[in-house]
Amino acid sequence: MKKLLIKWWRLIDSGQTCPRCKNTEIELDKACQKLKEAFRILGIEVIIDKQEITNDEFNKNPLISNQIFINNKPLEEWLNAKVSQSPCCDICGDQDCRTVEFLGKSYEIIPSELIIKACLLAAADMILTKPNLLNVLCRN
C-alpha cells in the first residue's frame, strides 16, 4: 500500500497552542478522516505526523508554526498558494504567524477543503508517476 504522509508543525508552549493552530488541528483531523476513507479504495494509506515546535524554534522562524507538508512538500506548493503572516495571540508573543493566501483569500486557519485539495493533488502525483499505470492509461 502506498503512503501519503501529512506532517503538521505547531507551537506548543506550556501545553498550550494558539487559536490558529488549535483550529487548524480540528480541520486537519476532519480532512484526514475523509481522506483515509476515500484513499483506502486507491490503495493509499494516509499517515498523520503532528510535530511540536518549541518557543526557541518558533522565535527563530515563526513561519514554521502551523505549516503542513504533504509527502514532504509544503501544502502551499501543491496548491500554488502563497505564505504570508499576520499578528496572532499572547502565546505567539510579538511574532507574526503563518497565513496561507489562496485564490485571493487569506487563511489564518487552514480549512479542511484546502488540505483535501492538496492531498488529492499529491495522490494524483503518486498514482500518475508510476510508469506501469501511466502506460496503461495512455494505451486506452
Side-chain angles (χ1 to χ4, degrees):
M1 189 172 249
K2 292 179 184 256
K3 297 183 185 327
L4 181 106
L5 176 62
I6 302 170
K7 193 181 296 186
W8 175 56
W9 295 352
R10 84 279 196 209
L11 171 65
I12 301 289
D13 182 25
S14 303
Q16 299 292 316
T17 192
C18 73
R20 287 183 195 188
C21 288
K22 181 179 179 182
N23 288 310
T24 293
E25 183 171 24
I26 292 167
E27 293 295 310
L28 177 64
D29 289 342
K30 186 174 17 173
C32 287
Q33 182 179 8
K34 291 177 182 178
L35 290 166
K36 283 181 179 186
E37 293 171 19
F39 284 5
R40 187 174 305 133
I41 296 166
L42 298 172
I44 299 173
E45 178 185 6
V46 177
I47 299 168
I48 307 162
D49 181 14
K50 297 179 181 181
Q51 297 286 321
E52 296 180 8
I53 60 170
T54 65
N55 270 327
D56 288 341
E57 292 169 315
F58 177 78
N59 287 326
K60 287 179 188 169
N61 182 3
L63 295 183
I64 63 172
S65 185
N66 209 21
Q67 186 171 24
I68 297 174
F69 293 89
I70 301 160
N71 285 350
N72 296 314
K73 185 174 171 180
L75 172 130
E76 55 273 3
E77 284 187 33
W78 288 110
L79 298 175
N80 198 25
K82 221 170 86 174
V83 175
S84 192
Q85 57 195 93
S86 66
C88 191
C89 68
D90 291 343
I91 292 171
C92 301
D94 294 336
Q95 301 286 359
D96 284 352
C97 290
R98 166 184 282 273
T99 62
V100 174
E101 294 180 19
F102 180 67
L103 297 178
K105 186 169 180 184
S106 182
Y107 297 91
E108 293 180 346
I109 298 162
I110 302 171
S112 62
E113 293 81 12
L114 290 187
I115 297 166
I116 290 169
K117 184 181 289 258
C119 288
L120 287 170
L121 292 167
D125 186 63
M126 290 169 64
I127 292 168
L128 295 177
T129 56
K130 184 175 179 183
N132 294 338
L133 181 58
L134 187 57
N135 290 336
V136 169
L137 291 172
C138 290
R139 281 188 216 142
N140 293 329

